[in-house]
Amino acid sequence: MFDPNSIQPIGSENVVIAPEVKKDEKKATFSVAPNQVTLSSFFGKIVIGVITWGIISALLFAILSVVWWLLSTESSGWILWPLLAFIGFIAGMLGNMGLALFYNLFFSKRYYSLSKMLGLVFTSSIIIFLICIPLYFLPFADWQTNSFTILGFQIIFSCFLSINLIEYLAQPNYSASSLLGNTLGFMISILVFMSFISSISWDENQTFLFMLAPTMIAYISIIAGNGIRDAIYYKLFQRGNNPFYLKSSAELSEEEKKAEQINAQAQQDVNIDVN
């Protein structure tokens, strides 16, 4: 039954905000928040990287079992060079696709678009493969060590680029800050890998080690670097700072419309005061 006393006069201070408005405001606040890192998610991603590395290790072992006779002969350099480039392409592509699949399974709220992630990983792997092929044909004095060094860089850079694309797709507004964390991990990977190369000389009995090292280094370092960046940035966000947030075109258009409305209202108030 209608109660006349329930009508609130205009300008009353006892205005109740509708639940829908509160919900919308909560969604808007959540949508601009960076990724919150917990210990379980941080170490969970590292475990995923180690599992992915294990799968790639099994794949590389199968490949090496087939082409071992090529790698053990010094006269097969012209076959070994494109073969290494193809091995780097297969290892990088399947490893990064596996990483995207695990992310989608265990962190589906953040990494929700599996088909787009797989498409980006596949396309980036082909581009890196085409860029790296000529590097294998450069004249090196120690062609075996340098060929496996190029293979390591190919795998590490493929991991770096794929993780960047996956993070960009997950939260495009934070792509700039995500790039900083991934770059930190990438530089650590390069330093560790170069230290490994300089401390060990190539030997046919260590071929498998040369193939496994860059993958293990890349997945652990880059994933950890991105997780550290996420944790630091979320702490800044909790303190009211959001320096690397990139607004979308829709957000910029909405802000421009609001600014125009405020200017129009201010101009209307001025005209009323003058009259």
Side-chain angles (χ1 to χ4, degrees), residues 203-215:
D203 184 85
E204 65 180 35
N205 296 324
Q206 296 176 332
T207 304
F208 194 57
L209 183 61
F210 269 81
M211 287 190 171
L212 291 184
T215 310

PDB file of all heavy atoms in Angstrom, residues 203-215:
ATOM      1  N   ASP A 203      80.497 -28.913 -25.917  1.00  0.00           N
ATOM      2  CA  ASP A 203      80.949 -30.284 -26.083  1.00  0.00           C
ATOM      3  C   ASP A 203      79.743 -31.110 -26.491  1.00  0.00           C
ATOM      4  O   ASP A 203      78.618 -30.836 -26.036  1.00  0.00           O
ATOM      5  CB  ASP A 203      81.557 -30.814 -24.779  1.00  0.00           C
ATOM      6  CG  ASP A 203      82.121 -32.220 -24.954  1.00  0.00           C
ATOM      7  OD1 ASP A 203      83.283 -32.336 -25.390  1.00  0.00           O
ATOM      8  OD2 ASP A 203      81.377 -33.179 -24.677  1.00  0.00           O
ATOM      9  N   GLU A 204      79.944 -32.088 -27.324  1.00  0.00           N
ATOM     10  CA  GLU A 204      78.805 -32.863 -27.825  1.00  0.00           C
ATOM     11  C   GLU A 204      78.057 -33.572 -26.708  1.00  0.00           C
ATOM     12  O   GLU A 204      76.851 -33.837 -26.821  1.00  0.00           O
ATOM     13  CB  GLU A 204      79.275 -33.870 -28.870  1.00  0.00           C
ATOM     14  CG  GLU A 204      80.197 -34.950 -28.340  1.00  0.00           C
ATOM     15  CD  GLU A 204      80.635 -35.919 -29.420  1.00  0.00           C
ATOM     16  OE1 GLU A 204      80.822 -35.473 -30.563  1.00  0.00           O
ATOM     17  OE2 GLU A 204      80.766 -37.109 -29.121  1.00  0.00           O
ATOM     18  N   ASN A 205      78.738 -33.836 -25.608  1.00  0.00           N
ATOM     19  CA  ASN A 205      78.067 -34.466 -24.469  1.00  0.00           C
ATOM     20  C   ASN A 205      77.232 -33.477 -23.664  1.00  0.00           C
ATOM     21  O   ASN A 205      76.466 -33.879 -22.803  1.00  0.00           O
ATOM     22  CB  ASN A 205      79.103 -35.114 -23.547  1.00  0.00           C
ATOM     23  CG  ASN A 205      79.855 -36.248 -24.221  1.00  0.00           C
ATOM     24  OD1 ASN A 205      79.268 -36.991 -25.012  1.00  0.00           O
ATOM     25  ND2 ASN A 205      81.143 -36.380 -23.926  1.00  0.00           N
ATOM     26  N   GLN A 206      77.413 -32.163 -23.939  1.00  0.00           N
ATOM     27  CA  GLN A 206      76.679 -31.130 -23.217  1.00  0.00           C
ATOM     28  C   GLN A 206      75.644 -30.435 -24.097  1.00  0.00           C
ATOM     29  O   GLN A 206      75.124 -29.403 -23.737  1.00  0.00           O
ATOM     30  CB  GLN A 206      77.660 -30.092 -22.664  1.00  0.00           C
ATOM     31  CG  GLN A 206      78.623 -30.643 -21.629  1.00  0.00           C
ATOM     32  CD  GLN A 206      79.632 -29.619 -21.175  1.00  0.00           C
ATOM     33  OE1 GLN A 206      79.981 -28.698 -21.917  1.00  0.00           O
ATOM     34  NE2 GLN A 206      80.109 -29.756 -19.943  1.00  0.00           N
ATOM     35  N   THR A 207      75.364 -31.030 -25.254  1.00  0.00           N
ATOM     36  CA  THR A 207      74.403 -30.417 -26.179  1.00  0.00           C
ATOM     37  C   THR A 207      73.038 -30.248 -25.531  1.00  0.00           C
ATOM     38  O   THR A 207      72.390 -29.207 -25.662  1.00  0.00           O
ATOM     39  CB  THR A 207      74.277 -31.277 -27.444  1.00  0.00           C
ATOM     40  OG1 THR A 207      75.566 -31.439 -28.032  1.00  0.00           O
ATOM     41  CG2 THR A 207      73.348 -30.611 -28.455  1.00  0.00           C
ATOM     42  N   PHE A 208      72.596 -31.282 -24.839  1.00  0.00           N
ATOM     43  CA  PHE A 208      71.282 -31.221 -24.195  1.00  0.00           C
ATOM     44  C   PHE A 208      71.232 -30.105 -23.162  1.00  0.00           C
ATOM     45  O   PHE A 208      70.223 -29.394 -23.036  1.00  0.00           O
ATOM     46  CB  PHE A 208      70.987 -32.574 -23.539  1.00  0.00           C
ATOM     47  CG  PHE A 208      69.551 -32.746 -23.151  1.00  0.00           C
ATOM     48  CD1 PHE A 208      68.540 -32.637 -24.088  1.00  0.00           C
ATOM     49  CD2 PHE A 208      69.203 -33.034 -21.845  1.00  0.00           C
ATOM     50  CE1 PHE A 208      67.215 -32.805 -23.736  1.00  0.00           C
ATOM     51  CE2 PHE A 208      67.880 -33.199 -21.486  1.00  0.00           C
ATOM     52  CZ  PHE A 208      66.883 -33.091 -22.431  1.00  0.00           C
ATOM     53  N   LEU A 209      72.336 -29.902 -22.429  1.00  0.00           N
ATOM     54  CA  LEU A 209      72.396 -28.841 -21.420  1.00  0.00           C
ATOM     55  C   LEU A 209      72.301 -27.476 -22.080  1.00  0.00           C
ATOM     56  O   LEU A 209      71.631 -26.568 -21.563  1.00  0.00           O
ATOM     57  CB  LEU A 209      73.695 -28.962 -20.619  1.00  0.00           C
ATOM     58  CG  LEU A 209      73.900 -27.967 -19.473  1.00  0.00           C
ATOM     59  CD1 LEU A 209      72.798 -28.116 -18.437  1.00  0.00           C
ATOM     60  CD2 LEU A 209      75.268 -28.171 -18.838  1.00  0.00           C
ATOM     61  N   PHE A 210      72.953 -27.298 -23.224  1.00  0.00           N
ATOM     62  CA  PHE A 210      72.904 -26.023 -23.935  1.00  0.00           C
ATOM     63  C   PHE A 210      71.482 -25.707 -24.411  1.00  0.00           C
ATOM     64  O   PHE A 210      71.112 -24.546 -24.540  1.00  0.00           O
ATOM     65  CB  PHE A 210      73.857 -26.052 -25.135  1.00  0.00           C
ATOM     66  CG  PHE A 210      75.241 -25.562 -24.824  1.00  0.00           C
ATOM     67  CD1 PHE A 210      76.156 -26.396 -24.215  1.00  0.00           C
ATOM     68  CD2 PHE A 210      75.620 -24.257 -25.114  1.00  0.00           C
ATOM     69  CE1 PHE A 210      77.434 -25.959 -23.909  1.00  0.00           C
ATOM     70  CE2 PHE A 210      76.891 -23.805 -24.818  1.00  0.00           C
ATOM     71  CZ  PHE A 210      77.805 -24.654 -24.208  1.00  0.00           C
ATOM     72  N   MET A 211      70.704 -26.726 -24.698  1.00  0.00           N
ATOM     73  CA  MET A 211      69.340 -26.505 -25.165  1.00  0.00           C
ATOM     74  C   MET A 211      68.366 -26.263 -24.012  1.00  0.00           C
ATOM     75  O   MET A 211      67.399 -25.520 -24.148  1.00  0.00           O
ATOM     76  CB  MET A 211      68.867 -27.703 -25.997  1.00  0.00           C
ATOM     77  CG  MET A 211      69.495 -27.789 -27.370  1.00  0.00           C
ATOM     78  SD  MET A 211      68.693 -29.028 -28.399  1.00  0.00           S
ATOM     79  CE  MET A 211      69.452 -28.691 -29.983  1.00  0.00           C
ATOM     80  N   LEU A 212      68.630 -26.890 -22.868  1.00  0.00           N
ATOM     81  CA  LEU A 212      67.697 -26.775 -21.745  1.00  0.00           C
ATOM     82  C   LEU A 212      67.896 -25.496 -20.932  1.00  0.00           C
ATOM     83  O   LEU A 212      66.943 -24.951 -20.389  1.00  0.00           O
ATOM     84  CB  LEU A 212      67.851 -27.980 -20.817  1.00  0.00           C
ATOM     85  CG  LEU A 212      67.394 -29.325 -21.355  1.00  0.00           C
ATOM     86  CD1 LEU A 212      67.528 -30.378 -20.271  1.00  0.00           C
ATOM     87  CD2 LEU A 212      65.967 -29.255 -21.845  1.00  0.00           C
ATOM     88  N   ALA A 213      69.142 -25.037 -20.841  1.00  0.00           N
ATOM     89  CA  ALA A 213      69.458 -23.900 -19.969  1.00  0.00           C
ATOM     90  C   ALA A 213      68.662 -22.638 -20.309  1.00  0.00           C
ATOM     91  O   ALA A 213      68.072 -22.025 -19.414  1.00  0.00           O
ATOM     92  CB  ALA A 213      70.954 -23.618 -19.993  1.00  0.00           C
ATOM     93  N   PRO A 214      68.612 -22.184 -21.592  1.00  0.00           N
ATOM     94  CA  PRO A 214      67.898 -20.924 -21.861  1.00  0.00           C
ATOM     95  C   PRO A 214      66.415 -20.974 -21.529  1.00  0.00           C
ATOM     96  O   PRO A 214      65.849 -19.990 -21.044  1.00  0.00           O
ATOM     97  CB  PRO A 214      68.124 -20.705 -23.365  1.00  0.00           C
ATOM     98  CG  PRO A 214      68.527 -22.012 -23.904  1.00  0.00           C
ATOM     99  CD  PRO A 214      69.245 -22.720 -22.807  1.00  0.00           C
ATOM    100  N   THR A 215      65.774 -22.131 -21.769  1.00  0.00           N
ATOM    101  CA  THR A 215      64.346 -22.243 -21.466  1.00  0.00           C
ATOM    102  C   THR A 215      64.088 -22.144 -19.974  1.00  0.00           C
ATOM    103  O   THR A 215      63.187 -21.426 -19.528  1.00  0.00           O
ATOM    104  CB  THR A 215      63.810 -23.584 -21.997  1.00  0.00           C
ATOM    105  OG1 THR A 215      64.206 -23.752 -23.354  1.00  0.00           O
ATOM    106  CG2 THR A 215      62.302 -23.621 -21.921  1.00  0.00           C
TER     107      THR A 215
END
